[in-house]
Amino acid sequence: MRNNLPPPAAALFPDRSTRERVDDLLTRELANANERIAVGPVMPRLDMAKFRQELAGFDFEVPQTADEVLAWSIAQLEHGTVHMTHPRYFGLFNPAPVAPAQWADRIAGAFNPQLASSGSSPAPVEIEAHVIRAIGRRAGLPSNAAGHFTTSGSEANYTSLICALTRAEPRFGTDGVRAFAGPVALYTSRECHPAWLKIAHQAGVGRSALRLVPSDGHGRMNDAALAEMVERDLRDGVVPVLIAATAGTTGGGMIDPLERCAAIARSHGIWYHVDAAWGGAALASDRLRGTLAGIELADSLTIDAHKWFATTMGCGMFVSRDAAVLNQAFTVGGDFMPSNASNLDPYLNTVQWSRRFLGLRLFLALAVAGWRGYGAHVERAVAVIEAVKERLLERGWVALNDSPLAVLCTAPSAGEDGNATGQIRPIVSNLLASGRSWVARTTFEGREVVRICATHGETTLADVDELVAGLTASP
Ligand SMILES: Cc1ncc(COP(=O)(O)O)c(C=O)c1O
């Protein structure tokens, strides 16, 4: 009979005083790094050859002290990433995370609740469900709408397709796409997020099932073209299963005609999804939420908390008008699981099984800021972009998109046709090389543009001036 055990691995389970010391050290060191980042270059300045050599030195044979490894890790992140936390990162929608979300990560990491089941995590599961219902209500969905947190907007969009297929054909769950009377099709605009292609692939409907509807010349889905495509497909024996409108396109922040798309979906009994991955946060603002009118007609929604709600990555949300379809799509037997509440347990209603407590991030942030606080946050971002736009227009640049959200697609007006193609690449690469600011290069309505997006809640007018100076500096 065994009557003693080896001691716990001390490096993995340090005593309380060591943990407190390291936690305090981390708090201080991270705050110091953040301050240095704000006054340094946005772009990484890491010597990658030296970094790779040091990395190769971690052969995991000789343990190092926590202090050494933590200091090394922070230094690599400080110098080896594009800084999303820099106030002049005007980038893809990767925000500087709000403090409550970072606190939530710390709490979730400490308790490490398993959010697969309400049996093991009754309080966390209900906190997440509460936040999702609040988001659904804010969007104007009925009070019994339900959903869950996802790792990303792509997972949420994928979930919409699985729900659409499940509702369109009850035998889809057992027989897959073979159950349909013909090939299936889903529709979104050509300005959509490209992950839709992977989603069609993953779901087994095939990339050719994705119909990219032409846009209207202003970055929005052309609803007349959508109606024609659906009707043509129906005549050809194709089964339309999903229309996905975008409320805040990735490139130009444009909002598809949500009500007209809803009417087309409704008239053919097609599942109607609104991908508001980053634009959805505009719901927080009483001034801006009207721009999303028609979102309340959706069968389902994607909103990423890790975009404009500025939580830490990745924290998507999926909300469905019909709660039951989620269980039809994702139910499974799990004798070993501590609970099996078909209307609540995440493992019975979502793509994932083991799940981190993501929803605490938005819960805490909403709880301390309220809708009003978040409304002020998104309105401030729009004001930042208005300030950038005013300054660039004064310098002869043109605005290509007309978005009510916090993104500007712009170009220097040049050439007879005002087309600046050829200039965009050097402008963006010179700016990035200078390290002064970060902006993206993209295509809007077939034209190459500089894309500037406000993603940092503390960007100042001095940062805006610095961005404009960097963009308009001669090379
Ligand atoms: C409109 C839209 N949908 C979906 C996505 C994908 O979201 P994620 O990066 O969280 O997977 C994005 C990302 O930028 C997006 O802008």
Side-chain angles (χ1 to χ4, degrees):
M1 171 135 97
R2 179 153 210 154
N3 51 18
N4 60 20
L5 286 172
L12 301 178
F13 303 98
D15 60 27
R16 177 173 170 164
S17 71
T18 307
R19 279 180 191 234
E20 284 180 358
R21 184 188 63 74
V22 174
D23 283 351
D24 289 350
L25 180 79
L26 266 181
T27 305
R28 259 195 325 277
E29 289 304 317
L30 290 173
N32 290 341
N34 227 16
E35 273 179 15
R36 287 192 298 270
I37 287 167
V39 293
V42 187
M43 291 293 283
R45 287 280 159 89
L46 192 64
D47 175 344
M48 286 303 285
K50 179 165 172 280
F51 163 75
R52 289 197 185 104
Q53 202 179 19
E54 288 176 12
L55 184 62
F58 285 91
D59 60 3
F60 310 127
E61 294 299 339
V62 183
Q64 301 187 19
T65 66
D67 292 40
E68 278 169 339
V69 183
L70 290 173
W72 186 84
S73 304
I74 292 173
Q76 308 322 301
L77 279 145
E78 185 176 338
H79 302 292
T81 60
V82 174
H83 290 303
M84 319 291 155
T85 60
H86 196 294
R88 288 194 302 282
Y89 175 76
F90 293 95
L92 306 175
F93 220 109
N94 305 311
V98 295
Q102 298 185 45
W103 298 332
D105 273 344
R106 195 161 163 189
I107 297 172
F111 287 90
N112 203 27
Q114 161 60 290
L115 264 79
S117 116
S118 63
S120 46
S121 301
V125 167
E126 292 210 17
I127 289 172
E128 286 203 342
H130 180 78
V131 177
I132 294 289
R133 278 195 299 273
I135 294 286
R137 276 199 305 277
R138 190 83 189 167
L141 292 186
S143 57
N144 57 351
H148 50 271
F149 281 85
T150 62
T151 51
S152 64
S154 302
E155 183 196 321
N157 284 343
Y158 172 77
T159 303
S160 77
L161 177 56
I162 299 298
C163 288
L165 289 162
T166 302
R167 195 182 69 179
E169 170 50 68
R171 290 183 302 116
F172 169 70
T174 40
D175 296 342
V177 285
R178 292 187 304 280
F180 285 90
V184 303
L186 61 147
Y187 306 80
T188 184
S189 102
R190 70 168 191 186
E191 296 282 324
C192 73
H193 191 275
W196 279 107
L197 282 161
K198 299 204 294 182
I199 289 167
H201 185 148
Q202 276 168 258
V205 301
R207 292 174 186 234
S208 65
L210 183 66
R211 305 283 191 267
L212 292 178
V213 182
S215 48
D216 64 355
H218 302 281
R220 294 176 290 244
M221 176 135 63
N222 177 336
D223 55 290
L226 168 68
E228 267 172 39
M229 281 170 118
V230 170
E231 273 152 31
R232 190 179 334 122
D233 275 341
L234 284 167
R235 281 197 302 277
D236 293 348
V238 172
V239 185
V241 291
L242 173 75
I243 291 174
T246 311
T249 55
T250 312
M254 300 307 296
I255 299 167
D256 286 344
L258 301 182
E259 285 162 353
R260 295 200 296 275
C261 292
I264 295 166
R266 196 179 313 112
S267 69
H268 295 288
I270 303 170
W271 185 279
Y272 181 47
H273 180 70
V274 175
D275 175 2
W278 79 264
L283 289 169
S285 153
D286 287 336
R287 183 156 69 72
L288 293 171
R289 63 195 292 200
T291 60
L292 302 185
I295 196 169
E296 71 285 356
L297 303 171
D299 288 306
S300 58
L301 295 180
T302 289
I303 301 180
D304 275 352
H306 67 254
K307 290 198 165 70
W308 212 351
F309 280 110
T311 70
T312 46
M313 304 260 176
C315 193
M317 289 181 280
F318 178 77
V319 194
S320 175
R321 171 183 298 274
D322 173 7
V325 74
L326 281 166
N327 187 245
Q328 285 156 23
F330 298 109
T331 196
V332 68
D335 289 351
F336 58 91
M337 292 300 280
S339 58
N340 59 2
S342 61
N343 61 344
L344 187 62
D345 278 333
Y347 80 101
L348 299 174
N349 288 280
T350 74
V351 172
Q352 297 176 46
W353 199 286
S354 289
R355 298 177 69 246
R356 185 178 167 87
F357 188 11
L358 300 176
L360 186 62
R361 303 168 186 178
L362 188 56
F363 173 78
L364 281 187
L366 270 171
V368 300
W371 290 114
R372 204 170 306 140
Y374 258 125
H377 166 72
V378 296
E379 286 169 22
R380 186 180 195 282
V382 171
V384 166
I385 289 303
E386 280 166 2
V388 175
K389 186 169 163 180
E390 280 163 16
R391 284 158 176 73
L392 284 174
L393 295 191
E394 262 174 23
R395 286 162 178 76
W397 284 46
V398 287
L400 281 313
N401 67 333
D402 183 20
S403 169
L405 309 179
V407 66
L408 174 67
C409 293
T410 181
S413 178
E416 297 263 291
D417 58 354
N419 201 329
T421 305
Q423 290 188 57
I424 301 298
R425 197 177 287 264
I427 288 173
V428 171
S429 49
N430 286 340
L431 182 70
L432 302 197
S434 77
R436 294 165 81 170
S437 297
W438 199 98
V439 297
R441 185 175 54 79
T442 190
T443 315
F444 179 74
E445 286 289 356
R447 191 170 157 173
E448 211 179 345
V449 293
V450 177
R451 177 184 178 280
I452 302 166
C453 183
T455 65
H456 196 299
E458 295 165 297
T459 296
T460 62
L461 283 180
D463 292 317
V464 168
D465 289 335
E466 175 72 11
L467 164 70
V468 170
L471 280 171
T472 53
S474 27

